Amino acid sequence: MRIFTALNLTTLAICLSLTPQTKAEEEAKFAIAIHGGAGAISQKKMTPKIRAQYDAKLSEAVNAGYALLEKGHSSEQAIIAAIQIMEESPLFNAGKGAVYTYDEHHELDASIMDGKTLNAGAVSGVKTVKSPIALAQSVMNNSVHVMLSGEGAESFAKQQNLALVDNQYFNTERRYKSLLRAKKKLQQKAQELKDYQAAHQTLDVEYKVGTVGAVALDKNGNLAAGTSTGGMTAKRFGRIGDAPIIGAGTYANNNSCAVSATGHGEYFIRYHVAADICARMEYQNISVEQAADTVINKVLVKAGGTGGVIVIDKNGNITMPFNTEGMYRASRSSTGKTNIAIFRNE
């Protein structure tokens, strides 16, 4: 009887010692959030057919990333999968759907950051790389640099055996018509105001924004963020926005949060938006919701900047504030359901 009791107690002790780890593994939170750009998205002009197309593509992208997280893959792998789906869609200003420069071609930017190591990779002004986010990932993992640009970035892409395409691969009729409207307005205003800078300021928000991005938390507690864009319609002189700038358009740190931004890039660069949100969380000990809302709806609004962010913190909490009419966005968490939305009231 004593031997039996002793054995039972030993077995119970072993079970109890294993329970916390097993329970932690079972309850490990993981989540992903994505965006397809923010800007002058008119709810009145959004037909059921167009809405269905955006909903379907956002759903495909967020579910692809979530499926990888569910299987135990890294947050880095999850955000790459989600972003590449959006890069391959003409619906978004990234990859296939990239806007045109003033000279009627395409220059693409992207960046990625690992919240565990703070390693990062970015590319700007690439013209023949099919997936800019894949190139940014290669820069992060396979080079000694953080950012590569132009011809140098494309040479590195060749070395990495990444898919290359003709610049015309990114052509779409919708974006070309948008360019022609923007150039016409710019030319008219430049003659009137005698100043290109002033003329550019008159362009509507729709010409100045548009990006895709993703943030994720994996089962190991690691955060990652990535952003990809075709830039600004009718941009000139090799303009670079916030998307490839670590700290402005993309940031991730396991101590706080992961952020991907979309909006008028010049303001996101000046106000170091992505890193500022994470810093506010860490140094002020405030929630991810409060930090993101303060930067997007107070700091940026006061400065005249438009756009939004998707943010996930180290506990899997997600917030997606924006100060424009709409932002294409979706999220999915192991602790909740899938959310797909565009407008503020959704």
Side-chain angles (χ1 to χ4, degrees), residues 75-76 112-121 137 140-141 146 218 221-225 246 251-255 257:
S75 52
E76 178 186 330
I112 187 171
M113 188 167 185
D114 180 342
K116 180 181 180 180
T117 63
L118 301 190
N119 198 10
Q137 182 187 34
M140 178 175 73
N141 294 330
V146 170
D218 62 33
N222 294 321
L223 293 166
I246 300 302
Y251 194 76
N253 188 326
N254 279 5
N255 291 331
C257 65

Side-chain angles (χ1 to χ4, degrees), residues 24-320:
E25 289 174 352
E26 289 176 354
E27 295 182 357
K29 295 180 180 178
F30 58 95
I32 184 169
I34 67 171
H35 71 77
I41 306 166
S42 174
Q43 194 163 8
K44 294 180 180 178
K45 295 180 181 179
M46 181 66 70
T47 66
K49 181 179 179 180
I50 295 174
R51 178 61 192 257
Q53 291 176 340
Y54 278 104
D55 284 352
K57 192 55 64 173
L58 289 168
S59 177
E60 180 186 352
V62 76
N63 286 332
Y66 184 86
L68 290 176
L69 294 172
E70 193 172 36
K71 293 176 182 176
H73 292 283
S74 70
S75 52
E76 178 186 330
Q77 291 171 304
I79 65 169
I80 291 293
I83 291 173
Q84 285 186 321
I85 286 173
M86 292 185 285
E87 283 183 336
E88 293 171 4
S89 170
L91 292 173
F92 306 104
N93 177 18
K96 179 61 180 173
V99 298
Y100 286 78
T101 67
Y102 192 90
D103 296 325
E104 302 189 0
H105 59 256
H106 310 274
E107 296 175 355
L108 300 96
D109 309 324
S111 64
I112 187 171
M113 188 167 185
D114 180 342
K116 180 181 180 180
T117 63
L118 301 190
N119 198 10
V123 294
S124 65
V126 295
K127 301 177 181 179
T128 63
V129 179
K130 186 177 181 181
S131 174
I133 193 64
L135 179 55
Q137 182 187 34
S138 287
V139 172
M140 178 175 73
N141 294 330
N142 303 322
S143 83
V144 296
H145 307 298
V146 170
M147 178 181 283
L148 301 179
S149 66
E151 293 181 3
E154 294 185 343
S155 295
F156 183 72
K158 292 177 183 177
Q159 185 187 96
Q160 295 295 302
N161 295 316
L162 295 179
L164 302 177
V165 294
D166 188 277
N167 194 249
Q168 292 183 356
Y169 165 83
F170 306 108
N171 289 358
T172 55
E173 183 178 0
R174 178 169 71 105
R175 298 299 190 192
Y176 187 64
K177 288 181 177 179
S178 179
L179 171 69
L180 295 181
R181 290 194 300 270
K183 288 179 71 171
K184 183 178 180 180
K185 186 168 185 177
L186 275 173
Q187 290 163 1
Q188 290 173 341
K189 288 295 181 179
Q191 289 180 347
E192 177 185 329
L193 302 171
K194 308 300 181 184
D195 184 339
Y196 174 78
Q197 287 281 94
H200 196 276
Q201 294 298 324
T202 68
L203 282 181
D204 296 332
V205 173
E206 65 177 292
Y207 300 113
K208 300 176 181 178
V209 299
T211 319
V212 305
V215 294
L217 171 71
D218 62 33
K219 289 183 177 181
N220 292 319
N222 294 321
L223 293 166
T227 312
S228 181
T229 186
M232 181 186 291
T233 301
K235 63 182 179 180
R236 302 179 74 178
F237 315 118
R239 179 262 186 186
I240 299 170
D242 65 303
I245 307 297
I246 300 302
T250 301
Y251 194 76
N253 188 326
N254 279 5
N255 291 331
S256 51
C257 65
V259 184
S260 175
T262 172
H264 192 167
E266 278 68 16
Y267 288 90
F268 282 73
I269 294 171
R270 292 170 187 147
Y271 289 88
H272 209 223
V273 166
D276 187 27
I277 291 171
C278 294
R280 286 171 184 267
M281 282 190 66
E282 189 170 356
Y283 301 143
Q284 296 180 7
N285 194 30
I286 59 177
S287 69
V288 63
E289 292 86 0
Q290 186 179 348
D293 180 70
T294 298
V295 174
I296 296 301
N297 291 311
K298 292 182 181 178
V299 175
L300 274 187
V301 168
K302 183 179 180 180
T306 55
V309 290
I310 52 171
V311 193
I312 184 169
D313 71 12
K314 60 184 180 180
N315 297 314
N317 298 307
I318 295 171
T319 187
M320 299 183 280

